Amino acid sequence: MILSQHRVENYRNIQQAEFCPGPGLTVICGRNGQGKTNLLESVWLLSGAKSFRGSKDQQLVRREQPYAVISSSAQRDDGRTEEYRIVIGGSGSEAAGVHPGRFGQLDGVDFGRATNLAGHFYAVVFAPSHLSLVKGSPDGRRRFVDAALMQLYPGYIPVYRRYIRALAQKNALLRDAGRFEGAEQLLDSFDLALAEAGGEMIRRRREYLEGLFAIAEETYAGLSSGSEACSFSYRPCAENAEELLAKIRAARPSELRAGCCTVGPHREDIQIRIGGEDARAFGSQGQQRSAALCLKLAEARQIAKITGSEPVMLLDDVLSELDGARRDFLLGKIEGRQVLLTSCDAASFHNTAGGIWEMEAGHLRQVQ
Ligand SMILES: Nc1ncnc2c1ncn2[C@@H]1O[C@H](COP(=O)(O)OP(=O)(O)OP(=O)(O)O)[C@@H](O)[C@H]1O
Ligand SMILES: [Mg+2]
């Protein structure tokens, strides 16, 4: 998959920008706060996912403007070109005849909500906030797995939604279960729904993570020149839907006491160890960043393996905190793929064959 042309209008601080990245490395450089991450984020949205910065759609639209437009061409590995268009309506967009929210078109066909674009444009993004994959709470690691699965298997989205909906309803019921008759029966039906969707989530997570971890561990060994071992593991809360149902049923008294669902995929986690120790508590900043990066590089390999399509790599400020050997390994590892990389330091890229663009106050210009 290659992004061949990308154009944005009224996107965050960018009034208008357009560029045609090459098939290899493209560097977007510039001082802090100029719009480098904004540009990368606009490319990421082509995947159908929401902002990797957790921003609401409205925040993506340039201040004082009703809507933003992203229009791009991407070349698939079979040579076909696809035309993407995303329109994001901000507050007050209706007066301009645009729905509030994020909507997508592919080759001129309306796809409705931009999330329906999932499974077409493949990308992997690594931003400083992804350090939380290693450092942060289990919640971020679950989001990482779920987002990857949604991109790879659009069928995962309805399963996930069913689970989350049943979870929210059951949690609400658990909070005041003592207060009305028939609550137990209702809880039973939520248990069934949770076990059905949850069992499917576990099956997908396990299958995906087994492959992912093997690649990530091998990549970490290369990144650290074999001097450190990093291991990843996932222990599901149950083997399958039946076992999950039994565990949820057994937990009923404690769930009633706690007032929330205590068993299920929404409580799972991934364990990351560096040199045998918990990376979250003991890893150095560079080690944690390396582990998070390896998960992302492995994600790219998994996408290529499963879909047959190389994803576009979006690396936001990834080189800071990595020593020279790790930088060289990383830049070697991403060869053969299209990579868009942001950096405050253009000087370190003057010898690369790739294009270099400078972002200044939302204006983009090519410098190499
Ligand atoms: N909706 C918006 N409208 C106008 N400007 C916005 C909007 N959202 C964000 N910005 C501006 O975009 C700028 C930040 O851009 P961005 O995060 O892309 O910077 P950057 O070049 O990646 O900087 P750094 O090197 O510090 O990461 C901020 O100055 C912010 O005020
Ligand atoms: Mg940035």
Side-chain angles (χ1 to χ4, degrees):
M1 181 118 241
I2 289 179
L3 180 71
S4 41
Q5 194 187 21
H6 187 70
R7 182 187 156 88
V8 297
E9 280 165 65
N10 292 328
Y11 188 85
R12 293 216 192 242
N13 73 332
I14 308 170
Q15 185 184 2
Q16 196 197 312
E18 184 169 352
F19 76 131
C20 298
L25 177 68
T26 297
V27 180
I28 300 147
C29 61
R31 289 176 295 115
N32 294 132
Q34 302 301 306
K36 305 182 296 293
T37 303
N38 293 346
L39 187 69
L40 221 57
E41 180 186 46
S42 70
V43 175
W44 169 248
L45 294 186
L46 299 174
S47 72
K50 57 178 191 272
S51 159
F52 56 80
R53 289 196 278 194
S55 306
K56 297 202 179 83
D57 291 337
Q58 285 185 1
Q59 297 169 323
L60 308 176
V61 180
R62 191 158 184 254
R63 279 179 215 115
E64 317 288 331
Q65 296 295 322
Y67 61 91
V69 182
I70 303 169
S71 26
S72 313
S73 310
Q75 201 163 14
R76 288 158 44 111
D77 292 6
D78 62 11
R80 227 161 44 80
T81 300
E82 286 181 329
E83 306 285 342
Y84 290 81
R85 185 177 159 86
I86 292 178
V87 177
I88 309 165
S91 49
S93 65
E94 270 155 328
V98 170
H99 282 299
R102 204 158 30 92
F103 296 88
Q105 267 183 12
L106 180 53
D107 290 336
V109 178
D110 271 324
F111 267 52
R113 296 229 168 251
T115 42
N116 297 330
L117 290 173
H120 291 274
F121 183 86
Y122 290 106
V124 170
V125 61
F126 185 77
S129 61
H130 288 116
L131 195 55
S132 67
L133 263 179
V134 179
K135 245 168 100 155
S137 61
D139 180 50
R141 287 182 283 280
R142 286 191 297 267
R143 246 183 293 128
F144 165 72
V145 184
D146 289 331
L149 287 169
M150 286 180 199
Q151 186 169 202
L152 280 172
Y153 309 103
Y156 189 78
I157 298 173
V159 175
Y160 176 82
R161 286 199 183 135
R162 276 207 305 282
Y163 187 83
I164 294 300
R165 200 177 319 122
L167 189 69
Q169 291 172 333
K170 189 180 156 191
N171 273 336
L173 188 59
L174 281 168
R175 274 196 295 273
D176 53 15
R179 278 188 260 142
F180 72 95
E181 261 177 60
E184 290 272 333
Q185 245 174 327
L186 210 48
L187 285 172
D188 288 344
S189 69
F190 285 135
D191 288 353
L192 282 175
L194 287 170
E196 179 268 326
E200 177 65 10
M201 283 170 72
I202 291 169
R203 188 179 73 77
R204 286 283 190 198
R205 282 181 180 180
R206 179 164 43 203
E207 184 188 278
Y208 174 72
L209 289 175
E210 265 170 20
L212 186 87
F213 290 166
I215 303 168
E217 287 171 7
E218 188 194 308
T219 309
Y220 195 99
L223 191 66
S224 66
S225 315
S227 66
E228 291 161 11
C230 183
S231 69
F232 301 86
S233 63
Y234 162 66
R235 256 172 275 116
C237 61
E239 285 304 305
N240 49 41
E242 293 75 46
E243 196 193 336
L244 180 58
L245 183 60
K247 286 193 169 177
I248 296 176
R249 282 184 174 151
R252 174 74 59 88
S254 64
E255 291 195 328
L256 280 165
R257 269 196 309 278
C260 65
C261 302
T262 57
V263 182
H266 65 289
R267 286 289 182 102
E268 288 181 342
D269 197 5
I270 289 169
Q271 283 73 41
I272 306 173
R273 306 184 82 78
I274 298 172
E277 293 200 277
D278 180 13
R280 187 177 169 186
F282 297 104
S284 75
Q285 187 90 346
Q287 287 173 325
Q288 290 175 337
R289 183 175 279 244
S290 301
L293 190 56
C294 288
L295 280 175
K296 287 289 177 174
L297 291 170
E299 184 187 351
R301 282 265 297 281
Q302 281 282 69
I303 291 176
K305 218 160 78 184
I306 295 168
T307 68
S309 177
E310 280 289 350
V312 177
M313 295 290 292
L314 306 173
L315 303 179
D316 190 21
D317 224 349
V318 70
L319 298 184
S320 42
E321 284 166 20
L322 294 185
D323 59 41
R326 288 184 190 213
R327 281 182 181 208
D328 290 346
F329 176 83
L330 172 66
L331 293 174
K333 198 79 193 165
I334 55 187
E335 252 173 46
R337 290 204 184 106
Q338 188 179 40
V339 180
L340 308 184
L341 182 147
T342 69
S343 175
C344 293
D345 167 31
S348 22
F349 294 96
H350 280 148
N351 295 325
T352 62
I356 301 183
W357 296 73
E358 186 175 60
M359 182 62 97
E360 197 180 357
H363 296 283
L364 188 66
R365 67 181 180 100
Q366 188 157 20
V367 291
Q368 177 182 305

